[in-house]
Amino acid sequence: MKKALLMCCCAVVAALTLSSCATIFGGSRHTFVVNSSPDDAQVVITDKKGKEVFNGHTPTEVRLKSGAGYFSPAEYTVKFSKAGHQDLMVPIHFRLNGWYFGNILIGGAIGMLIVDPLTGGMWRVSPGEKQIYKTLKPQGVAALDIIDIKNVDAATKEQLVKIN
């Protein structure tokens, strides 16, 4: 009986010291839904080194890694293109995952310094940024788009200027 109790205690201690909060709660890969109007636009996704990681047509789903190396967040560029329409580029930026700091309480140094930085689990995107929907403009036409601020991704929101 003592041996079973000792094994159980060892398993609990190992789980607490070898776990990594951000990787467990946030994951290291994220699924993005990519769509456009008009549909059937070509989508090419490249990483921050310019390497192509996905090539397909809208609508589509793509699963992307959140890390780009030890303590390095991934960055991607989504390029939409369709004949007769202007190309459109959309950046994807990963930010620090709040669960990463859970390692202080649960995961310990191994989770904070090794597992989460290596797996990319320490990086995340907000759920709203996982839906990438863009309207492609016809070539040679200047168009005014009216969109709801609730449907604007974070990168675009940063570029907005408030007018009274």
Side-chain angles (χ1 to χ4, degrees):
M1 188 66 176
K2 287 183 181 182
K3 188 174 183 178
L5 182 60
L6 179 63
M7 295 286 285
C8 184
C9 288
C10 287
V12 169
V13 169
L16 290 176
T17 58
L18 298 176
S19 64
S20 53
C21 286
T23 301
I24 291 169
F25 291 106
S28 61
R29 293 183 173 269
H30 300 271
T31 301
F32 293 82
V33 176
V34 184
N35 206 347
S36 66
S37 176
D39 62 357
D40 199 37
Q42 182 178 17
V43 176
V44 176
I45 301 177
T46 54
D47 64 13
K48 63 182 168 183
K49 294 179 182 176
K51 179 182 172 193
E52 186 178 297
V53 295
F54 178 81
N55 191 332
H57 289 84
T58 61
T60 190
E61 285 188 9
V62 62
R63 198 154 166 81
L64 300 172
K65 292 170 40 174
S66 55
Y70 191 63
F71 278 104
S72 180
E75 294 176 19
Y76 298 97
T77 301
V78 182
K79 180 181 178 184
F80 292 87
S81 56
K82 184 167 177 93
H85 294 79
Q86 298 174 18
D87 288 352
L88 181 63
M89 309 281 264
V90 178
I92 297 175
H93 299 284
F94 287 84
R95 290 176 296 288
L96 194 59
N97 184 343
W99 280 109
Y100 173 67
F101 297 104
N103 286 307
I104 295 170
L105 299 173
I106 299 172
I110 293 174
M112 188 166 239
L113 299 174
I114 299 173
V115 180
D116 284 345
L118 281 175
T119 64
M122 68 183 293
W123 309 108
R124 69 161 188 89
V125 292
S126 65
E129 294 175 278
K130 292 182 180 182
Q131 305 285 326
I132 304 171
Y133 179 82
K134 295 297 174 186
T135 301
L136 303 179
K137 296 177 182 166
Q139 280 185 322
V141 175
L144 175 65
D145 288 335
I146 299 175
I147 55 174
D148 187 344
I149 191 74
K150 295 174 191 167
N151 297 329
V152 175
D153 59 63
T156 304
K157 281 184 184 178
E158 291 176 7
Q159 298 174 6
L160 297 177
V161 176
K162 184 177 181 178
I163 55 176
N164 294 332

